[in-house]
């Protein structure tokens, strides 16, 4: 797919079309195999937002359902440490979610650049505990804890979890893993 323009102008690893449905993309924040997260500015009110879009030209029904479920979880109630969700929209054959811009960077990126002090590690651990406690108290299990899904605002040191794609609610069926040594998400 490298360099191939997807429907709506999306490309793997970069963004060629600078505007989509009134959102002007300003930078790439995060890339995975299936989604891209961009910072963008809404042209009508100049508000900075995050844009999470599925990469595939024609996303599978599973990918679209996962993004819709993530939207449903985030829009069900505000969570401390999770971005507010503004909308779930379509563009041509793809689907995307507009989120609050938390002005953070992935913990994984920070780990590559610097070594954390004991106080910083304890602060991250404390904030994660509080955030996960609130999420779990709402009968939601966050299953994607990894340095790529933890964003830190380097100005305020506030922590946010951004990827609720694997999150499940208490009413969801929890399948038994085929391999008891396998865990979804990772810590490294």
């Amino acid at each position: 797919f490298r360099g191939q323009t997807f429907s709506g102008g999306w490309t793997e690893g970069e963004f060629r079309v600078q505007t989509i449905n009134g959102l002007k993309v300003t930078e790439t924040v995060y890339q995975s195999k299936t989604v891209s997260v961009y910072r963008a500015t809404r042209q009508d009110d100049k508000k900075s937002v995050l844009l999470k879009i599925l990469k595939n030209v024609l996303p599978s029904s599973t990918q679209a359902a996962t993004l819709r479920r993530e939207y449903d979880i985030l829009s069900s109630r505000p969570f401390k440490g999770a971005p507010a969700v503004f909308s779930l929209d379509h563009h041509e054959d793809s689907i995307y979610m507009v989120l609050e811009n938390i002005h953070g960077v992935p913990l994984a990126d920070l780990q590559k650049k610097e070594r954390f002090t004991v106080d910083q590690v304890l602060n991250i651990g404390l904030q994660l505990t509080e955030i996960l406690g609130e999420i779990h108290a709402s009968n939601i299990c966050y299953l994607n804890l990894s340095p790529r899904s933890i964003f830190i605002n380097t100005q305020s040191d506030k922590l946010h979890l951004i990827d609720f794609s694997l999150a499940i609610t208490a009413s969801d069926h929890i399948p038994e893993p085929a391999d008891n040594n396998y865990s979804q998400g990772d810590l490294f």
Side-chain angles (χ1 to χ4, degrees):
F1 294 123
R2 186 154 306 280
Q4 177 182 349
T5 300
F6 294 141
S7 177
W10 302 104
T11 63
E12 182 181 12
E14 65 179 277
F15 190 80
R16 289 201 181 146
V17 173
Q18 296 298 316
T19 304
I20 180 171
N21 293 348
L23 298 166
K24 182 176 178 156
V25 171
T26 56
E27 76 176 293
T28 301
V29 176
Y30 171 79
Q31 298 274 332
S32 76
K33 292 177 190 173
T34 57
V35 300
S36 294
V37 177
Y38 301 99
R39 278 201 177 82
T41 303
R42 285 194 306 216
Q43 292 180 320
D44 60 349
D45 63 1
K46 305 298 183 221
K47 183 174 183 80
S48 181
V49 296
L50 293 177
L51 175 66
K52 182 175 186 175
I53 189 162
L54 297 174
K55 283 185 168 182
N56 291 339
V57 174
L58 294 169
S60 71
S61 58
T62 301
Q63 290 171 329
T66 298
L67 193 62
R68 282 187 186 96
R69 188 182 73 245
E70 183 174 0
Y71 171 80
D72 290 341
I73 288 171
L74 288 171
S75 63
S76 67
R77 67 178 292 267
F79 297 104
K80 172 186 178 180
V85 63
F86 299 131
S87 63
L88 182 68
D89 297 308
H90 296 271
H91 179 68
E92 296 181 9
D93 294 322
S94 195
I95 184 171
Y96 65 93
M97 186 167 43
V98 181
L99 301 154
E100 166 191 22
N101 185 0
I102 54 176
H103 302 285
V105 294
L107 177 60
D109 292 353
L110 291 175
Q111 286 176 315
K112 291 175 188 173
K113 295 177 184 175
E114 64 183 79
R115 188 170 176 90
F116 294 112
T117 66
V118 171
D119 285 344
Q120 289 171 316
V121 171
L122 291 173
N123 182 33
I124 290 168
L126 179 62
Q127 286 188 66
L128 274 175
T129 302
E130 290 172 354
I131 292 166
L132 290 170
E134 181 177 333
I135 291 169
H136 292 175
S138 299
N139 294 319
I140 295 170
C141 187
Y142 185 84
L143 296 174
N144 196 19
L145 193 58
S146 77
R148 290 176 300 281
S149 63
I150 300 168
F151 271 47
I152 298 178
N153 181 320
T154 56
Q155 300 300 312
S156 67
D157 288 335
K158 281 193 175 182
L159 195 118
H160 287 82
L161 298 177
I162 63 146
D163 189 354
F164 280 71
S165 62
L166 297 177
I168 58 173
T169 62
S171 61
D172 291 337
H173 171 68
I174 304 172
E176 281 287 320
D179 179 356
N180 289 334
N181 294 321
Y182 174 75
S183 174
Q184 290 182 312
D186 59 35
L187 294 176
F188 304 101

